[in-house]
Amino acid sequence: MPSLHRWQQLYDRAGASVLQPVRHALLDHHGLTLHIKRDDRLHAFISGNKWRKLKYVLRQALSERAAGLLSFGGAWSNHLHALAAAGQALGVPTAGIVRGEPEYAGNPTLSDARAWGMTLEFVDRQSYRRRHEADFLAGLAARHPGFYIIPEGGSCVLALPGVAELWRELPPCEELILPVASGGTLAGLLSARPGRTRVTGYAVLKGQGWLADTVHGLYAPAAHDPGWQLRLNHHGGGYAKCSPADRAAITELSEALAVPLEPVYSGKALLGLFRDIEAGHYAPGSRLIFLHTGGLQGARS
């Protein structure tokens, strides 16, 4: 297992996550300002929130001298894509438990992961639902002895401090807005939320009920924090589902704002934000910051 020195080198090479001001007639009409935090520029492959969520998880695995890294995801998983890239950069073996059929192994996401050395194990949906169960995890540990097992999406308690560091890079604002899937990025932001800023998460999957519980499970004080909300009606039919009309609207928004977007995470959430702005959901005069969580490789789907 490589030393922590290699981990430090990896995280010293972060790209410039600039705060990009954007203009749009809808913003002017409603008296709002919007900046986009360009975390998609942190790393070419360990993208956006994955860069932040994996930071201390990887350090812990290296500290424990783990034999490798194992995690879970779908066939187009940004997390598995990022983990495979991190493993290659660190010289650490990686394994991915993939929800879906082996026929997906040739898609661009998993082709990249395999090229970076990740071994893939495909499981059906029923088996994948057991990824939190002790006996299922014990079976994985037996097949991958010494591997450090990371939850789906990298969402675990160790992910929170890496995400919380983002607040040091932001100016004061009334609203911080982001896409939400596994809940780890949202929980990390809430763990260090400034009192003046409300955090709004746009669910990119059907998350009625359980998504808030997931956030509470990662950061218990969130259950009693009134300074955040989930917007649950902009998922477009479910995770990774995007109608032709919404895809066209995301492309139009990307061109208007001069920001690259994909239709699974940031594109879907930013479209939801603009629809809420049009509906008058945000108070005039508010300063909004939208967190671009990366994952642009997903645009190849």
Side-chain angles (χ1 to χ4, degrees):
M1 199 71 173
S3 70
L4 288 171
H5 177 67
R6 189 175 290 187
W7 172 88
Q8 190 65 58
Q9 286 181 321
L10 177 64
Y11 275 90
D12 283 344
R13 294 172 183 161
S17 175
V18 299
L19 196 63
Q20 178 179 331
V22 296
R23 296 295 304 273
H24 193 281
L26 198 59
L27 297 169
D28 295 338
H29 178 72
H30 288 270
L32 301 169
T33 63
L34 174 64
H35 288 74
I36 297 181
K37 177 63 170 164
R38 295 289 305 276
D39 267 14
D40 58 301
R41 296 174 59 173
L42 283 170
H43 191 278
F45 305 118
I46 312 169
S47 181
N49 62 338
K50 308 308 179 190
W51 174 261
R52 297 186 188 273
K53 290 166 77 174
L54 286 171
K55 183 175 183 179
Y56 295 108
V57 174
L58 295 174
R59 188 176 72 174
Q60 183 65 28
L62 292 174
S63 298
E64 295 182 11
R65 303 190 65 80
L69 306 165
L70 181 148
S71 196
F72 311 85
W76 295 94
S77 170
N78 286 330
H79 169 62
L80 291 183
H81 191 263
L83 186 65
Q88 185 196 50
L90 295 171
V92 180
T94 55
I97 309 303
V98 184
R99 181 188 68 248
E101 302 299 326
E103 65 193 56
Y104 292 116
N107 76 27
T109 298
L110 297 183
S111 292
D112 284 349
R114 288 187 296 114
W116 293 326
M118 177 174 275
T119 60
L120 303 177
E121 179 179 333
F122 292 86
V123 298
D124 59 32
R125 290 182 179 273
Q126 184 175 356
S127 299
Y128 191 81
R129 292 190 191 101
R130 300 184 59 221
R131 64 192 178 278
H132 304 297
E133 297 177 11
D135 58 340
F136 184 76
L137 294 173
L140 290 177
R143 295 197 299 278
H144 302 275
F147 272 54
Y148 190 94
I149 298 179
I150 304 168
E152 182 182 42
S155 291
C156 57
V157 172
L158 274 176
L160 272 56
V163 174
E165 290 174 352
L166 183 139
W167 288 112
R168 305 175 192 170
E169 305 169 22
L170 298 178
C173 64
E174 280 71 41
E175 298 268 356
L176 178 63
I177 297 150
L178 71 152
V180 178
S182 60
T185 303
L186 177 55
L189 291 170
L190 295 177
S191 72
R193 183 184 70 84
R196 65 180 177 272
T197 303
R198 183 169 70 163
V199 178
T200 297
Y202 279 76
V204 299
L205 73 179
K206 293 180 180 179
Q208 302 283 350
W210 67 265
L211 189 52
D213 291 340
T214 300
V215 175
H216 301 162
L218 290 167
Y219 181 64
H224 309 288
D225 181 356
W228 68 286
Q229 62 171 330
L230 282 168
R231 303 292 291 165
L232 298 171
N233 298 322
H234 296 286
H235 54 70
Y239 180 69
K241 293 183 178 180
C242 191
S243 70
D246 281 356
R247 192 177 287 265
I250 290 168
T251 299
E252 181 180 347
L253 193 57
S254 174
E255 293 172 353
L257 302 180
V259 175
L261 297 170
E262 41 66 51
V264 181
Y265 294 96
S266 292
K268 185 180 286 188
L270 195 60
L271 180 60
L273 168 62
F274 269 77
R275 286 173 172 168
D276 275 351
I277 289 172
E278 188 170 22
H281 181 73
Y282 292 93
S286 295
R287 295 164 296 176
L288 313 179
I289 295 177
F290 180 86
L291 175 59
H292 193 315
T293 54
L296 292 173
Q297 67 89 23
R300 303 176 297 173
S301 63

